[in-house]
């Protein structure tokens, strides 16, 4: 068994809403081993980004907080670190590729300066070598005329290009864990394939760990070792990619798997053919959170929320799989 690099235990993250406190991440637990990739999937609003922002303590203090749980990274609980200590971890030990490409870049610094600074901070290169390396990295992520682009500011680039700069930046740090939040959703198919290839190299050649957040089950199948399916802030099913693709247990997972994009469709489209939508955080159903959309829901599902049950090597939060005698 590989050693765990990160272990998240019963993480609860809440926000103060207009009608009181809402729980965006509701007791989620997972681990990522060294050299492993965990794919986190689920529809919009189910708490994927909030989970990743919680790890790096990027939840806005005015409105949100980690209410409970532990985030053990190399054995240290990140939730207990001071702002100064967590800043040391961000970008050095954990690199993040944000969903929103403006969040990860400094708007008043040229692309070249930002990249070169990151490179010199993580290697013995001098400024000139770092600049050359930065140009090489931009070319690697498929940016045309990289030498010219280095002199530009983030707002001068398109969203897709900024995304690739952020990926180049993350790849230039010597981090052990990469958190990639929809890293390729905004990119066209050829560039997407290039980026996924780069991420695979990180994992296979450098034994890096990746937490990959995506809507695209096809990307998960290609990239991840394990999957966590999230819905309304909870994990509904966890297991290895192999097990979950072969025999998905939760009706929600089955629905997600039916929505894998086909070659003849635009991959940027968010394809979900599960009827209905994720309920609002302030209006969650009493029982299983998915019961309002589940074709198999019965009275019990509407009344009481199931626990996560172990079925073979998978875990699933569904009454269908509760051991006998569990009420
Ligand atoms: N700063 C915030 N203040 C209040 N609520 C928030 C905040 N950030 C996120 N939320 C809420 O938390 C829930 C989970 O959001 P999150 O961004 O994690 O979803 P997601 O799974 O990443 O969705 P997407 O696939 O669209 O990126 C949503 O209901 C969202 O409205
Ligand atoms: Mg998100």
């Amino acid at each position: 068994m590989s050693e765990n690099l990160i272990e998240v235990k019963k993480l609860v993250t809440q926000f103060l809403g207009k009608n009181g406190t809402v729980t965006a991440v509701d007791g989620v637990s997972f681990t990522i081993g060294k050299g492993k990739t965990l794919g986190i999937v689920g529809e919009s609003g189910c708490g994927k980004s909030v989970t990743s922002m919680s790890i790096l303590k990027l939840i806005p203090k005015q409105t949100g907080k980690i209410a409970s749980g532990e985030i053990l990274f190399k054995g240290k609980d990140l939730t207990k670190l001071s702002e100064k200590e967590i800043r040391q971890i961000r970008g050095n030990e954990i690199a993040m590729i944000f969903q929103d490409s403006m969040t990860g870049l400094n708007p008043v610094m040229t692309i070249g300066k930002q990249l070169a600074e990151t490179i010199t901070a993580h290697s013995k290169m001098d400024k000139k070598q770092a600049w050359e390396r930065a140009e090489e990295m931009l070319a690697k992520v498929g940016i045309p005329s990289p030498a010219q682009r280095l002199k530009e500011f983030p707002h001068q680039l398109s969203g897709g290009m900024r995304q690739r700069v952020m990926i180049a930046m993350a790849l230039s740090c010597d981090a052990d864990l990469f958190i990639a939040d929809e890293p390729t959703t905004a990119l066209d198919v050829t560039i997407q394939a290039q980026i996924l290839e780069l991420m695979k190299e990180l994992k296979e050649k450098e034994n890096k760990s990746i937490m990959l957040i995506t809507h695209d089950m096809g990307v998960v199948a290609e990239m991840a070792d394990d999957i966590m399916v999230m819905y309304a802030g909870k994990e509904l099913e966890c297991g290895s990619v192999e097990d979950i693709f072969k025999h998905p247990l939760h009706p929600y997972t089955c629905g997600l798997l039916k929505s894998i994009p086909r070659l003849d469709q635009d991959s940027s489209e968010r394809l979900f053919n599960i009827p209905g939508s994720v309920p609002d955080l302030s209006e969650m159903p009493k029982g299983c959170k998915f019961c309002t959309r589940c074709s198999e829901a019965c009275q019990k599902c509407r009344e009481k929320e199931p626990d996560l049950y172990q079925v073979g090597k998978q875990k699933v939060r569904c009454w269908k799989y509760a051991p006998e005698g569990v009420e």
Side-chain angles (χ1 to χ4, degrees), residues 253-267:
T253 315
C254 298
L256 291 184
L257 283 172
K258 278 193 211 129
S259 61
I260 292 183
R262 294 192 313 264
L263 275 179
D264 55 354
Q265 283 172 326
D266 178 358
S267 71

Side-chain angles (χ1 to χ4, degrees), residues 162-173:
R162 275 200 302 269
Q163 188 74 4
R164 280 180 272 164
V165 169
M166 201 160 45
I167 291 166
M169 192 104 94
L171 300 181
S172 307
C173 329

Side-chain angles (χ1 to χ4, degrees), residues 43-50 52 99 181-182 213 215 270:
E43 286 161 293
S44 192
C46 66
K48 305 182 297 294
S49 294
V50 174
S52 59
Q99 188 168 12
D181 192 349
E182 302 279 2
I213 297 176
H215 281 80
R270 297 185 163 189

Side-chain angles (χ1 to χ4, degrees), residues 54 120 142 182 244:
S54 302
T120 44
E182 302 279 2
I244 290 192

